[in-house]
Amino acid sequence: MSVLENIKKVQSSIEQAALKAGRNSSDIKLMAVSKTNPVELIREAYDAGQRLFGENRVAEAQEKFALLPDDIDLHLIGHLQKNKIKTAVSVFDCIQTIDSRELAEKLVQTSKDQDRVLRVLLQLKTAEEGKKTGFSSEEEIIETAGWIRENSGIKMEGLMTIAPFTKDEVQVRSAFARCRNLQEKLMSLYRDQDFSVLSMGMSSDYHWAVQEGSTLLRIGSAIFGYRS
Ligand SMILES: *Cc1c(COP(=O)(O)O)cnc(C)c1O
């Protein structure tokens, strides 16, 4: 199947999942996660109308997206290392993986230095697996969101999480539900701040993420094929 066909298939399955959940599919954005995939395949997705892309490594994204059109909305969905912050702020439109107050502070400073307003999500850790980073404490997220609210330079848009890697529906859905509950808590605490984005759901679990209120699905292999 081509990238175009895969995107169409994923879109129609999102529509079905939304229908089942009683939601409007226009409230759910599809991100094409293009990590490890070459520019030619990304361009196929672009030509199919796809504009929202996600990458997990700064240098790889910088190299590939320099060769692609400017009207792409590019998000970092992998852990951001301190020595990559400057490049990341210049390459990405949104960083979904803020996992400490310290990183938020550095991003505010770097955005100011580069005279731009970076969009951000705070990442909640809902899985125990080591590689899956994020805030493990909800208190810390709340405190960091409050700090961001007092500071210009970055624009808060919501939360991101990676569910545990399991086929167990209850476990996966409860991870998504935890993230949504935290979003509701933040919305009621800081009413003037935007937390509308809930980035949750990947190729294997996006149907459940739609059920649990996701507004942004990060889909890689179902669009580009399975990574070897
Ligand atoms: C790779 C990745 C995805 C996409 O995963 P697929 O299973 O290929 O859909 C989504 N989110 C994050 C954070 C990723 O690293």
Side-chain angles (χ1 to χ4, degrees):
M1 288 242 282
S2 69
V3 167
L4 171 67
E5 286 168 320
N6 287 340
I7 288 177
K8 283 188 174 160
K9 205 174 136 193
V10 170
Q11 278 168 343
S12 80
S13 110
I14 293 169
E15 274 161 32
Q16 277 166 24
L19 202 66
K20 194 175 152 201
R23 300 185 56 202
N24 195 330
S25 63
S26 63
D27 295 336
I28 304 165
K29 283 191 185 158
L30 169 61
M31 164 187 282
V33 176
S34 48
K35 65 183 184 205
T36 75
N37 284 290
V39 173
E40 301 80 71
L41 286 187
I42 302 174
R43 194 177 289 280
E44 275 187 44
Y46 181 89
D47 290 341
Q50 183 67 33
R51 292 295 180 272
L52 174 58
F53 290 87
E55 285 278 341
N56 66 341
R57 298 176 72 171
V58 177
E60 181 185 340
Q62 182 181 33
E63 201 174 298
K64 294 192 302 191
F65 283 82
L67 307 169
L68 288 153
D70 281 337
D71 64 339
I72 284 175
D73 189 16
L74 184 61
H75 293 206
L76 179 67
I77 59 169
H79 178 65
L80 178 53
Q81 291 169 299
K82 291 188 185 71
N83 61 344
K84 303 273 171 61
I85 289 178
K86 267 191 196 160
T87 317
V89 170
S90 70
V91 169
F92 292 97
D93 301 289
C94 177
I95 289 182
Q96 294 204 355
T97 48
I98 291 193
D99 58 4
S100 69
R101 156 95 176 249
E102 190 194 356
L103 179 56
E105 288 176 7
K106 291 206 160 92
L107 286 174
V108 163
Q109 192 51 53
T110 310
S111 298
K112 281 181 180 161
D113 293 346
Q114 297 188 16
D115 200 23
R116 54 169 313 221
V117 179
L118 182 75
R119 292 148 51 208
V120 301
L121 304 182
L122 301 182
Q123 182 177 1
L124 174 66
K125 183 174 165 120
T126 55
E128 289 312 313
E129 290 105 291
K131 264 183 76 185
K132 295 175 180 169
T133 55
F135 284 95
S136 31
S137 143
E138 298 192 1
E139 288 312 308
E140 258 178 75
I141 286 209
I142 290 169
E143 190 257 337
T144 302
W147 183 83
I148 290 174
R149 185 164 163 258
E150 306 297 324
N151 287 273
S152 56
I154 54 179
K155 184 183 175 298
M156 169 68 69
E157 295 196 332
L159 299 177
M160 180 271 211
T161 200
I162 305 171
F165 189 68
T166 165
K167 289 190 162 47
D168 184 273
E169 179 172 353
V170 174
Q171 266 193 65
V172 172
R173 288 185 65 156
S174 70
F176 292 148
R178 236 188 93 197
C179 196
R180 191 194 59 233
N181 289 336
L182 179 60
Q183 177 202 36
E184 282 164 9
K185 198 186 252 178
L186 286 164
M187 282 171 158
S188 67
L189 276 172
Y190 307 122
R191 288 174 189 278
D192 55 352
Q193 199 171 22
D194 182 16
F195 293 103
S196 55
V197 177
L198 264 188
S199 168
M200 16 188 243
M202 311 177 20
S203 295
S204 56
D205 58 19
Y206 70 90
H207 297 92
W208 296 329
V210 169
Q211 295 282 322
E212 297 298 339
S214 173
T215 69
L216 192 159
L217 307 170
R218 308 180 307 266
I219 311 289
S221 34
I223 291 177
F224 294 107
Y226 287 86
R227 293 178 295 274
S228 51

